[in-house]
Amino acid sequence: MASLTSAIVEHRLPPGARLTEAKLVEVLSANRNHVRAALQKLASETKVVSLIPNRGAFVAKPTAEEAREIFSARMVLERAIVELAVTNLTPRNHNRLLKQVDKEREAIARQDRQQMIRESGNFHRLLADISGNRVLGELLEGLITRTSLIIALYQETFDVKCSIGEHQAVAEAILRQDRDEAIRLMDHHMDDIQNHLLLDESEPEVDLRAALLQI
């Protein structure tokens, strides 16, 4: 269900939003069985939907621990993808990368936040495609979706423009075929995104004895 995934990735559906089957059937003009199967697939494969017994389907709310694990896994993938992208920098791929950077600049000029989010993801998808490793691309696609959900949950004021600026630096290093610098910049980019997330904030500890005995 591409339209539902896109709505989650682009922050049009926030974490915790209820996904009522009847409403999805109506809005998407889809068969109820197809909607149910799609929700189950999103819950089991990409983990962006949570199915709660007797309550229904909701946009997932990843824990801080899950967020850290996702960023750790994505860091490994991104490094491998960048290294392969430098190796596979054909004239065609050179032009594709330049065009993608231009698309991101255009989205910033229009102040179109959803388009900025979309093109930000497309930059990473393009690098995976240039890498030539389809398995890495498939793995990255799932992590991009989950990363976007984490950003929506833990940092509502995430500055997409800064992220896109870092993309340009990565792209320039790849275009120079400076492998080490491209990897370093990608590491910095992923660290910067994670550092803007409020993953260390914890719920205040409740004194159950004091609460129950009104001490």
Side-chain angles (χ1 to χ4, degrees):
M1 191 179 292
S3 56
L4 179 56
T5 302
S6 295
I8 294 172
V9 169
E10 294 169 17
H11 300 175
R12 287 179 276 124
L13 278 173
R18 186 168 187 176
L19 305 172
T20 309
E21 279 189 15
K23 192 68 175 179
L24 290 173
V25 168
E26 175 189 345
V27 172
L28 300 174
S29 301
N31 177 281
R32 182 178 288 272
N33 289 334
H34 291 167
V35 167
R36 187 169 297 166
L39 289 173
Q40 290 173 342
K41 185 175 182 179
L42 289 174
S44 62
E45 294 185 5
T46 60
K47 314 293 186 185
V48 294
V49 168
S50 295
L51 300 178
I52 303 175
N54 302 319
R55 290 191 59 198
F58 298 82
V59 177
K61 298 178 71 174
T63 65
E65 182 180 0
E66 287 174 315
R68 294 189 189 93
E69 290 177 351
I70 288 168
F71 270 93
S72 178
R74 187 164 171 183
M75 182 80 80
V76 173
L77 281 182
E78 295 281 6
R79 287 173 180 168
I81 285 169
V82 165
E83 184 168 8
L84 288 171
V86 170
T87 302
N88 292 332
L89 191 63
T90 62
R92 176 174 176 269
N93 288 335
H94 185 286
N95 291 333
R96 293 169 72 199
L97 196 51
L98 288 176
K99 287 180 181 178
Q100 178 57 41
V101 171
D102 285 341
K103 286 181 181 179
E104 296 185 21
R105 289 200 194 100
E106 290 169 6
I108 292 174
R110 291 196 303 270
Q111 293 296 298
D112 187 336
R113 180 174 173 77
Q114 290 183 2
Q115 187 64 25
M116 283 190 275
I117 293 171
R118 189 177 304 124
E119 295 303 340
S120 178
N122 286 342
F123 175 81
H124 293 274
R125 293 183 182 97
L126 175 60
L127 292 186
D129 188 55
I130 291 174
S131 80
N133 189 311
R134 286 180 294 178
V135 175
L136 285 178
E138 290 169 0
L139 293 172
L140 182 66
E141 183 63 42
L143 292 180
I144 287 174
T145 303
R146 297 175 76 179
T147 301
S148 185
L149 185 58
I150 288 164
I151 290 170
L153 180 60
Y154 290 100
Q155 177 57 294
E156 295 181 355
T157 59
F158 178 69
D159 190 347
V160 185
K161 290 184 286 186
C162 289
S163 177
I164 290 174
E166 292 169 1
H167 286 177
Q168 183 174 347
V170 172
E172 289 172 354
I174 291 174
L175 292 174
R176 295 194 306 271
Q177 292 190 289
D178 189 337
R179 170 186 155 296
D180 291 341
E181 179 66 359
I183 292 173
R184 185 190 71 78
L185 288 168
M186 180 59 80
D187 282 352
H188 171 75
H189 173 49
M190 297 309 301
D191 281 337
D192 194 50
I193 295 174
Q194 188 171 359
N195 289 338
H196 280 81
L197 304 179
L198 306 176
L199 299 178
D200 295 324
E201 291 194 355
S202 57
E203 294 293 329
E205 186 175 348
V206 176
D207 187 335
L208 189 59
R209 177 182 175 84
L212 293 177
L213 299 180
Q214 298 185 345
I215 296 175

